[in-house]
Amino acid sequence: MEYLVDLAEKILNEALNRGAQDAIVRVQEKVYESIVFDNGILRVCSISRVSGLGLTVFVGGSVGYSYASIVDRDSIPKIVDEAISVAKALEYGSEKRLVGEEVKGARGSYRTEFKVNPFDVDLETKVKLVNNLNNESMKKEGIVSAFTRYGCEIDRKYIVSSFCSKVQVEVVAIGLSHLAVARYGDIVERVGDQKTFIGGYEFIEKFDWSSFVNEINDLAYRASQASTITPGVYQAVVDNELVGLLLHEAFGHASEGDAVYSDLSVLKGRLGQVVASEKVTIVDDGMVSGGYPVPFDDDGIEKKVTYIVKNGVLAGYLNSIVTAKKLGQIPTGNARAQDITFNTIVRQTNFYMLSEDAKVEELFEGIDYGVYLKGRGAGGGQVNPALGTFTFGVGPSYIIRKGEMGELVRSVIVSGNILEVLKNVDMVANDLNVTTSVFGGCGKMGQMVRVGDGGPHVRVKKLVVGSR
Amino acid sequence: MIDIELVVSKAIKKAEELGASEVELHIIEEKEVSVYATSKGVEGARRGTIATADVRIAIGKKVTVQGSVISSENDVLNLVEKAVSIARVVPEDPNWISLPKSCGYTSTFDLIDDRIKALDTNTLTSIIRETLKIPPQVDRRASANEVAINASVIRKWIANTYSTNVITYEKTLFSFIVEVKASEEGYESSYYKYYYAPTFKEFNLETLVKDATTIAISTLKAKPIETGKYSIIFMPSVFAAILRALLVPAVRADQVQKNRSPLAKKLFTKVLSENITIVDDGAAPNMIGSAPFDDEGVPTKRKTVIDKGVLLTYLYDTYTAYIDNQESTGNAVRPGLGSPPTPNATNFIVIPGTKSVEDIIRDSRDVLVVYSTIGEWLSNPVNGNLGATATNAIYYRNGEPVQPVKGITISGNIYKLLNEDFEALSREVELVANMLVPAVCVRNVAVAGERK
């Protein structure tokens, strides 16, 4: 990667000399180690590496992007010309700079601190850990299939721009995921979960993985013996994990400046309006504990805490340099790209709801017949941000009867309209929890980036609940 | 530029010198250009080239796959060296027999379109401008919210210990997606259509955009219907998504072998209605899953997976085929860099029925026609349970539209829906990425909507 860093400033200058009014150069190297045991057999043990250089140019009103994995001094003019010709082809015909002095690039660096470099740890040690956990699972009663995975990612970036950005970021994320498939009679159910830390191998060494994997196996087996929920409309308590998923998908995407600008967001034109119950405050925060660190975005802008909803009122949107300009706002440090093959788009970092003061158990009081919706084993979600409609696969959950936890139900999905749901939030607990994952993230427009999400437990007056 | 064929032969030689008993190299170069627009006009474009290499090494039964973006010949050789060192320390895979021993080609048609190879940003931009004009011409309440076009040229090279002559092919890919939004009196709806194929052959811009506009307009003012059991027509794009989420994983041999498929031990038994026949064809003309050989060099094949409701075969790569004492069906697909190939669908083709969608609607007393869903991929392939939320649908009674519908969840088990609850397949088919499918009508689908 070092030789690409050396070339970055040269390319930046070349772009400005060849007609770009502004430019951003991003050098990136992502290394991912993966060890997978599937039904007792090692299926993956690999270290993959993606590296290269990407160039964004601003010409008149247009933005062009070019990238290459094969870069040397001789190929600089080609990369620069491609980006500029792409931008010019868009023919906005304006001589005016799209963005200018108001954009303040960041200077600085961030590096994840760790005690034990995961890549220095003996491969056999890691293989043995995953092998044991997977083999133990396969011996459990009712478990017919198990998939256990170790993952570690080092993402290094170097960004320079004509907006005076010069930032260096190195994030190390490490974790383990487990998927158990259980059978009871003819019923087959699966539950998967993961735990990720930002840091080194010391986190793997001190965490109790055996209990973690056992809980998943146990939940899968109990779920296979559970009945499905009767589809209908329920009063619901939603746990931290599911609140995070719901907010990210159904609200976070609608708060992204590109969606707002292009009429694809249900939140467009609602700044200052009530969009949720007054108990709801939502932020996007680059550096929250438990989340994925995003100190600077991929355009080289500092990521600070952005308030999206304050006490139920829509307070702001997430912006890149480009969407901020188009919406007449300021960049919030939310321009992110999967890797060098993509230009940045507006993305969330760690998007979560803030705590209120209720105790978790108080949320259950007074519910005559409802459902406690759990995130563990959830299947993910999908949303139409233009309309605010969403649907989510929920993990094994519990029926609530007269304020008490009743039986487990499996294969639950929820759907609704996010604005209606957030207005129906009548209690918010005091147990904020934010998490991230080295195994997945957000896949907007085909680009996977790591994100964090979470929140406290919340209670919703009514939710459409179905079965999958 | 790197001379790939030379590098591959050097890399295989090097791995064998280092002690590998088997070596496989898989290299891809992808050149792409793409343009993205919203209703405000063209927003951005990008162009670039990336080359990646995967190397699979076996030392006896110790096997590993390593992958990397490559920028020089040395990157490939270093990757080989690293892979051999890792293969030495990983545990043995008792199921490992060997890499494929008969690599080669199947004849393919409509895999390359020179117009796509020649595409530049200007041409793509003009397609976008044309697209943006159509919706308001069809109906003033409609506009194209998002348009994205991507043209790419992919070249792939594979060689292994048993067939050191590098086999290679080139293919073009063109994708176009448009989302149309309709607004009226505070009501909004949106609908998207796409085209994704190796050539322009079946690309009809005007029809695609007009269809998307018509559905967006006709599903304005949608609301939930009452909770209950309904007959439903899943239009082709929805049916394709359901098959992708539930049936494709269930016929993958790896999933079957790992007890993750409800179709395990069901070979040669009736699993779906006798009206349903499904073919997996790795060399179908103008389909994105087509290629002369699969991702480990085995020639692609056409095979009937479900014949009149009877399950005839699972989809195999070489590794899973050895386990079941079968031959690879040419279905090896690499899910990502550094991952071993796994069996997966190439192109899934559902043989159409005889009635038109219009006739099926007219012949049903009442029926919900579902044009789009979200979340159908949350369905559970280990048991076949479908779960999705309808975002564009219309409820018909006695052949007449009663109301547009959205915000309802749809649940059921596909092995029941596509068997005893099966009603009909339409005669119209649609190309939906790597699937060519008709619409399907099924009964007794559980719908959660308005509180009863």
Side-chain angles (χ1 to χ4, degrees), chain B residues 134-421:
Chain B
I134 299 172
Q137 287 169 0
V138 176
D139 193 302
R140 59 182 172 71
R141 293 168 291 176
S143 61
N145 254 347
E146 263 186 308
V147 191
I149 308 183
N150 186 296
S152 49
V153 185
I154 292 166
R155 180 163 278 285
K156 197 170 273 201
W157 296 264
I158 294 181
N160 73 25
T161 304
Y162 305 106
S163 50
T164 44
N165 283 340
V166 179
I167 54 172
T168 179
Y169 70 82
E170 188 179 58
K171 121 168 149 184
T172 50
L173 285 175
F174 176 75
S175 74
F176 168 90
I177 180 162
V178 59
E179 178 162 37
V180 176
K181 183 169 172 178
S183 319
E184 186 183 21
E185 297 164 4
Y187 290 95
E188 286 183 340
S189 69
S190 69
Y191 188 74
Y192 71 90
K193 279 279 226 189
Y194 65 91
Y195 175 83
Y196 187 20
T199 78
F200 274 130
K201 217 170 171 179
E202 293 159 82
F203 180 58
N204 187 326
L205 177 68
E206 202 171 325
T207 308
L208 273 176
V209 185
K210 280 186 174 169
D211 285 354
T213 308
T214 308
I215 294 168
I217 292 290
S218 59
T219 52
L220 261 171
K221 301 188 181 174
K223 58 183 184 192
I225 45 173
E226 221 174 62
T227 299
K229 295 259 182 183
Y230 288 82
S231 284
I232 290 189
I233 296 175
F234 293 113
M235 292 303 278
S237 60
V238 180
F239 188 29
I242 292 170
L243 293 176
R244 186 169 291 123
L246 289 170
L247 193 65
V248 170
V251 296
R252 287 173 48 172
D254 60 331
Q255 300 301 309
V256 173
Q257 290 164 355
K258 288 168 195 157
N259 291 319
R260 289 181 205 143
S261 167
L263 296 182
K265 302 187 183 122
K266 296 269 173 78
L267 271 184
F268 309 111
T269 65
K270 185 170 170 291
V271 295
L272 300 179
S273 156
E274 61 276 9
N275 294 296
I276 299 177
T277 293
I278 301 175
V279 171
D280 178 88
D281 185 352
N286 197 33
M287 288 187 76
I288 54 162
S290 293
F293 49 83
D294 72 4
D295 282 354
E296 53 182 3
V298 174
T300 49
K301 294 183 178 71
R302 178 182 170 96
K303 74 240 60 142
T304 303
V305 180
I306 309 268
D307 185 25
K308 301 192 183 74
V310 176
L311 177 66
L312 291 190
T313 183
Y314 302 120
L315 305 177
Y316 288 101
D317 63 349
T318 301
Y319 177 83
T320 54
Y322 275 127
I323 293 174
D324 281 4
N325 204 14
Q326 298 284 323
E327 279 192 4
S328 166
T329 53
N331 283 82
V333 174
R334 290 182 191 256
L337 207 53
S339 300
T342 49
N344 212 329
T346 55
N347 300 299
F348 237 44
I349 300 169
V350 179
I351 308 301
T354 51
K355 281 165 111 181
S356 68
V357 172
E358 209 182 311
D359 285 346
I360 300 172
I361 293 175
R362 207 175 37 222
D363 294 348
S364 310
R365 200 175 64 81
D366 57 311
V367 64
L368 186 65
V369 180
V370 178
Y371 294 94
S372 74
T373 54
I374 54 174
E376 66 291 326
W377 50 272
L378 300 170
S379 302
N380 195 343
V382 302
N383 54 25
N385 284 345
L386 165 71
T389 297
T391 43
N392 296 85
I394 299 177
Y395 182 53
Y396 284 82
R397 195 175 294 139
N398 302 321
E400 296 297 323
V402 180
Q403 72 167 83
V405 175
K406 69 173 181 187
I408 53 161
T409 67
I410 292 167
S411 322
N413 187 290
I414 60 152
Y415 300 105
K416 190 166 174 289
L417 295 177
L418 297 179
N419 205 345
E420 58 255 45
D421 288 333

Side-chain angles (χ1 to χ4, degrees), chain A residues 38 41 43 45-49 65-67 86 92 145 188 261 263 326 341 379 381-382 391 393 467-468, chain B residues 32 40 42-43 45-47 64-67 69 71 95 145 181 258 260 338 340 375 377-378 383 385 389 411:
Chain A
D38 195 348
I41 290 171
R43 279 301 278 156
C45 178
S46 78
I47 300 169
S48 64
R49 190 176 65 89
Y65 184 73
S66 70
Y67 65 88
V86 161
Y92 263 13
S145 183
V188 181
Y261 163 75
D263 295 339
K326 289 175 176 173
T341 64
Q382 195 174 354
T391 189
S467 185
R468 58 180 151 133
Chain B
E32 64 160 354
K40 303 282 167 62
V42 178
E43 299 291 344
R46 67 193 164 103
R47 172 189 284 281
T64 187
V65 178
Q66 305 295 320
V69 163
S71 41
N95 296 325
N145 254 347
K181 183 169 172 178
K258 288 168 195 157
R260 289 181 205 143
W377 50 272
L378 300 170
N383 54 25
N385 284 345
T389 297
S411 322

Side-chain angles (χ1 to χ4, degrees), chain A residues 15-16 18-23 57-62 84 94-99 162-163:
Chain A
L16 297 173
R18 285 180 177 251
Q21 287 159 326
D22 283 294
V57 296
F58 296 80
V59 183
S62 299
I84 290 176
S94 161
E95 292 302 311
K96 245 177 96 183
R97 279 173 83 181
L98 180 65
V99 286
S162 60
F163 307 111

